């Protein structure tokens, strides 16, 4: 299949016009200008970008991944795919030991079947002081035996684990996680600057939704935010839904971290794509008012109701960069950087990579989605 478009962003460069050749679900070749032969389809005045990679998402379309049921997972995945997410890591909130094992075991089957691309454990080894939308009573210190049981049950499906560095045994746990080939992330933490640096030295390479559920910056205690931002080994997540971080914060972090270290995430819950109302995130009730999710009866933000196409548009419109530069930056943050951070294979629309792409109109609305060479949303 040979496709042409007015603009094609590979993740490395902007081709205007551009073409892409695909066979057996994989990118064979890309190029600028006229295609080498007659195109099977001219997509016209659109922008083609690599499929979005969401490495931190709890659910959508009325369902949560914590339900750990195939039909429920499929509903959430289908919802996000229609918004351009071609690679999805299912995130689980803090749960009791037996429930966590059950969730991981069930979702590992969905990874093996190709429904999702991995599992992210956001808990239970987090700080009760920065619990966010997690149940504090279920949080606990990382226990080597429990970590081993969870990783064994996952059979390689767990791609990332968020941990609070200040918990007893956290640094040893990070080393254990990394030795198992899993990405360790710092988040939901009251850690000091020094404790966070120690976590990075132990192998942590991701900052979970920077600023949110995290000790804030103080003039005499920089805390985890500064430690994560200043280390070139760390990729920092940002929830660019217009609620979690101000546009000025987004611009500052993008400049500070540079082009390769910011990863856009949705942190979406079951309420994504749904109307206002009451939902659940793990054991907690969540109220959604005006599209903003909060733990019931509190002002604590509980994930988001956003999709990756929304995050991408936010990045383009709030980057402060001129036209094409803004697009290139947003593509890196929504596709290239998260894939690299979690080791999810070839990055972008390059030969040998999975043929995952999103077709956007002039307003950056999704008009087509191709996943592994098959149309999810046909143009």
């Amino acid at each position: 299949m040979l496709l042409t478009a007015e603009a094609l962003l590979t993740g490395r460069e902007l081709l205007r016009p551009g073409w892409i050749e695909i066979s057996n679900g994989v990118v064979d070749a890309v190029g600028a200008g006229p295609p080498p032969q007659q195109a099977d389809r001219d997509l016209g005045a659109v922008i083609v970008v690599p499929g979005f990679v969401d490495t931190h998402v709890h659910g959508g379309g009325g369902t949560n991944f914590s339900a750990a049921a195939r039909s429920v997972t499929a509903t959430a995945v289908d919802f996000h795919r229609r918004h351009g997410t071609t690679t999805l890591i299912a995130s689980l909130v803090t749960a009791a030991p037996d429930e966590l094992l059950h969730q991981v075991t069930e979702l590992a089957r969905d990874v093996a079947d190709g429904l999702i691309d991995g599992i992210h454990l956001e808990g239970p080894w987090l700080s009760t002081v920065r619990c966010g939308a997690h149940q504090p009573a279920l949080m606990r210190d990382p226990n080597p035996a429990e970590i081993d049981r969870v990783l064994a049950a996952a059979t390689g499906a767990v791609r990332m684990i968020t941990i609070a560095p200040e918990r007893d045994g956290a640094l040893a746990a990070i080393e254990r996680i990394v030795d198992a080939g899993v990405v360790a992330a710092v988040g939901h933490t009251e850690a000091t600057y020094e404790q966070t640096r120690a976590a990075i030295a132990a192998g942590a390479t991701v900052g979970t939704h920077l600023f949110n559920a995290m000790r804030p910056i103080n003039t005499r205690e920089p805390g985890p935010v500064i430690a994560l931002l200043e280390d070139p080994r760390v990729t920092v997540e940002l929830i660019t839904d217009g609620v979690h971080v101000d546009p000025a914060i987004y611009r500052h972090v993008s400049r500070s971290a540079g082009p390769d270290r910011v990863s856009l995430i949705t942190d979406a819950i079951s309420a994504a794509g749904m109307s206002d109302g009451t939902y659940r995130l793990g054991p907690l009730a969540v109220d959604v008012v005006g599209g903003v999710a909060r733990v019931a009866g509190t002002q604590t933000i509980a994930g988001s109701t956003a999709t990756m196409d929304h995050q991408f548009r936010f990045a383009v419109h709030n980057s402060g960069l001129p036209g094409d530069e803004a697009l290139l930056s947003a593509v890196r943050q929504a596709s290239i950087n998260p894939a690299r951070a979690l080791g999810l294979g070839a990055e972008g629309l390059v030969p040998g990579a999975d043929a995952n792409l999103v077709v956007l109109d002039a307003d950056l609305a999704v008009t087509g989605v191709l996943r592994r060479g098959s149309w999810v949303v046909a143009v």
Side-chain angles (χ1 to χ4, degrees):
M1 176 169 59
L2 181 61
L3 304 173
T4 57
E6 184 176 279
L8 188 149
L9 287 90
T10 67
R12 300 174 181 174
E13 59 185 334
L14 171 61
L15 310 176
R16 194 191 293 273
W19 55 267
I20 181 168
E21 189 170 14
I22 296 163
S23 64
N24 299 316
V26 174
V27 177
D28 277 343
V30 294
Q37 60 197 53
Q38 181 68 36
D40 297 297
R41 183 76 178 275
D42 178 16
L43 300 176
V46 298
I47 303 169
V48 174
V49 301
F52 302 136
V53 178
D54 194 352
T55 57
H56 188 151
V57 51
H58 296 279
T63 62
N64 277 321
F65 293 123
S66 57
R70 178 60 178 254
S71 61
V72 170
T73 299
T75 296
V77 169
D78 178 68
F79 168 76
H80 284 288
R81 282 185 186 167
R82 288 186 282 109
H83 286 271
T85 298
T86 55
T87 302
L88 184 150
I89 305 298
S91 297
L92 295 173
V93 294
T94 295
D98 289 346
E99 178 63 17
L100 180 62
L101 275 177
H102 167 72
Q103 292 170 343
V104 167
T105 301
E106 293 302 315
L107 288 178
R109 296 190 179 102
D110 295 330
V111 175
D113 292 340
L115 181 61
I116 55 178
D117 300 280
I119 303 168
H120 163 219
L121 305 184
E122 191 184 17
W125 307 300
L126 309 176
S127 166
T128 56
V129 177
R130 300 288 173 181
C131 59
H134 293 247
Q135 177 57 261
L138 297 175
M139 291 178 175
R140 47 199 183 268
D141 292 329
N143 178 283
E146 182 179 21
I147 291 172
D148 289 347
R149 283 194 300 271
V150 169
L151 293 179
T155 60
V158 172
R159 303 304 297 248
M160 181 166 66
I161 297 176
T162 297
I163 196 164
E166 70 274 23
R167 294 214 71 126
D168 288 345
L171 296 185
I174 289 171
E175 292 175 350
R176 198 179 202 94
I177 289 164
V178 173
D179 285 345
V182 178
V183 172
V186 172
H188 283 271
T189 178
E190 184 66 4
T192 64
Y193 174 82
E194 288 77 12
Q195 287 171 323
T196 307
R197 283 176 56 87
I200 297 168
T205 54
V206 169
T208 296
H209 46 51
L210 195 71
F211 295 103
N212 298 113
M214 190 173 284
R215 177 199 281 250
I217 299 169
N218 182 281
T219 53
R220 287 173 295 280
E221 171 43 62
V225 172
I226 298 300
L228 293 165
L229 270 179
E230 72 179 7
D231 196 298
R233 295 170 290 184
V234 176
T235 298
V236 293
E237 297 178 346
L238 285 178
I239 310 171
T240 52
D241 61 346
V243 175
H244 284 77
V245 294
D246 187 88
I249 293 292
Y250 163 69
R251 287 191 293 274
H252 175 76
V253 170
S254 295
R255 288 193 298 268
S256 176
D260 300 320
R261 293 182 48 223
V262 174
S263 176
L264 306 186
I265 60 166
T266 62
D267 198 17
I269 65 171
S270 60
M274 308 297 287
S275 59
D276 286 359
T278 300
Y279 298 85
R280 300 201 73 81
L281 180 57
L284 297 180
V286 174
D287 291 334
V288 178
V289 179
V292 179
R294 290 185 170 88
V295 176
T298 77
Q299 290 301 304
T300 301
I301 299 174
S304 87
T305 61
T307 50
M308 280 299 291
D309 55 333
H310 178 280
Q311 315 301 65
F312 181 84
R313 287 190 292 271
F314 179 101
V316 172
H317 295 148
N318 291 285
S319 68
L321 299 171
D324 289 350
E325 289 184 39
L327 284 169
L328 286 164
S329 174
V331 164
R332 297 195 72 80
Q333 295 177 349
S335 302
I336 307 304
N337 297 348
R340 180 187 301 118
L342 265 64
L344 297 173
E347 304 150 7
L349 297 176
V350 295
D354 286 343
N356 299 330
L357 62 81
V358 181
V359 182
L360 304 170
D361 66 15
D363 297 319
L364 303 182
V366 174
T367 61
V369 179
L370 190 78
R371 182 175 187 270
R372 297 179 181 173
S374 297
W375 291 105
V376 176
V377 177
V379 293

